[in-house]
Amino acid sequence: MGHREDLLEGAKRCLLEKGYARTTARDIVAVSGTNLASIGYHYGSKEALLNLAFIKVTEEWGDLLTNEPESAVAGEDGSRAPLDQFLETWERVIGSYERTRSVWQLQMEVISRIDTDPELQKALAGPQREGRNGLAENMLGIDPETEPEKARVAGLFCQALLAGVMVQWMMDRDSAPSAQDLTEGLKAVLAGRERATAPDDALERNREGEEPGLRDHDSTADGSATGSS
């Protein structure tokens, strides 16, 4: 590898070992075996290098979690039931906590910096949108190319859920949700939605069923009247 690649790998290692704020240019140089001038030459600044390194760390973490196991059972068309896919993906995410805890910690630190760091915010805007599409596809089986708007809103939901789960696991893992908890919670939300729409559906069916009955009643009445006359 050249200095550019060495610097990127060194920055990724420093982020995971020391975090964003505590990583210095000298740390990166020491780990990568390069020199301080190389950072400016290849990336412009330490911050630009760290921002790219963070994106790469996050992408690699996402790839690790979304790679489907060989045991995953698909339907005849190659698809899986959305809730099964949701459960399996969350099992991988939560199951990775111990071995990828440094990534979780790094993401929480970076989130806390975004509001006061315009350059970091700008650097993450595009990858964040792409990440949402990936979450929608991998957690719920929604194809961003064929259903872009559905993937967008589903990705927003999954991203919000992911951030919340990470916070809960880092604060109190004993009471943090399991993959099964999250799946049951989603089922409860969907069931609540079905109950909320059921009265309207029933009313509509009753209305549709009443009209023929009324017409039949009117016809019978007319026929009786004609016969009696």
Side-chain angles (χ1 to χ4, degrees):
M1 292 191 298
H3 276 197
R4 182 178 178 84
E5 293 79 13
D6 290 336
L7 285 167
L8 184 58
E9 290 302 313
K12 287 159 55 179
R13 178 178 167 184
C14 287
L15 284 175
L16 294 174
E17 292 179 354
K18 305 189 69 171
Y20 193 102
R22 294 178 57 222
T23 294
T24 67
R26 292 188 182 278
D27 291 330
I28 299 171
V29 167
V31 169
S32 63
T34 58
N35 56 69
L36 290 172
S38 295
I39 295 178
Y41 178 78
H42 289 291
Y43 294 97
S45 67
K46 181 198 77 171
E47 288 71 26
L49 172 56
L50 287 179
N51 292 347
L52 179 60
F54 172 73
I55 291 171
K56 293 299 182 183
V57 166
T58 303
E59 288 176 349
E60 291 168 5
W61 178 71
D63 290 342
L64 173 69
L65 301 181
T66 56
N67 285 334
E68 296 181 5
E70 295 181 359
S71 59
V73 179
E76 294 181 0
D77 60 353
S79 64
R80 285 181 293 150
L83 285 176
D84 290 341
Q85 185 168 343
F86 184 83
L87 173 63
E88 291 165 6
T89 303
W90 275 108
E91 285 176 340
R92 293 196 296 276
V93 172
I94 293 174
S96 77
Y97 176 71
E98 288 299 335
R99 70 180 187 277
T100 63
R101 186 172 182 174
S102 58
V103 180
W104 295 46
Q105 292 171 332
L106 175 62
Q107 292 201 11
M108 290 296 100
E109 181 192 358
V110 169
I111 288 172
S112 71
R113 296 177 59 91
I114 289 178
D115 192 48
T116 57
D117 191 334
E119 288 303 315
L120 178 60
Q121 188 178 69
K122 182 179 178 181
L124 297 182
Q128 179 176 239
R129 286 191 289 269
E130 293 175 7
R132 289 171 184 159
N133 284 337
L135 289 172
E137 185 169 17
N138 288 293
M139 286 190 175
L140 297 171
I142 300 172
D143 186 350
E145 292 188 3
T146 59
E147 299 180 286
E149 179 57 19
K150 188 175 181 180
R152 184 186 72 84
V153 296
L156 289 169
F157 166 76
C158 291
Q159 192 174 56
L161 192 59
L162 179 60
V165 169
M166 292 175 73
V167 169
Q168 291 183 68
W169 265 87
M170 295 184 71
M171 288 182 63
D172 182 9
R173 59 179 300 173
D174 291 334
S175 66
S178 66
Q180 190 63 50
D181 290 334
L182 295 172
T183 305
E184 293 302 320
L186 182 56
K187 289 180 181 178
V189 171
L190 294 174
R193 180 181 180 277
E194 290 174 357
R195 286 195 299 271
T197 58
D200 293 336
D201 294 341
L203 180 60
E204 185 64 27
R205 286 194 298 271
N206 288 339
R207 286 174 177 169
E208 292 174 354
E210 285 174 359
E211 291 177 0
L214 289 172
R215 287 194 296 269
D216 292 343
H217 176 75
D218 292 341
S219 298
T220 302
D222 291 345
S224 299
T226 302
S228 63
S229 61

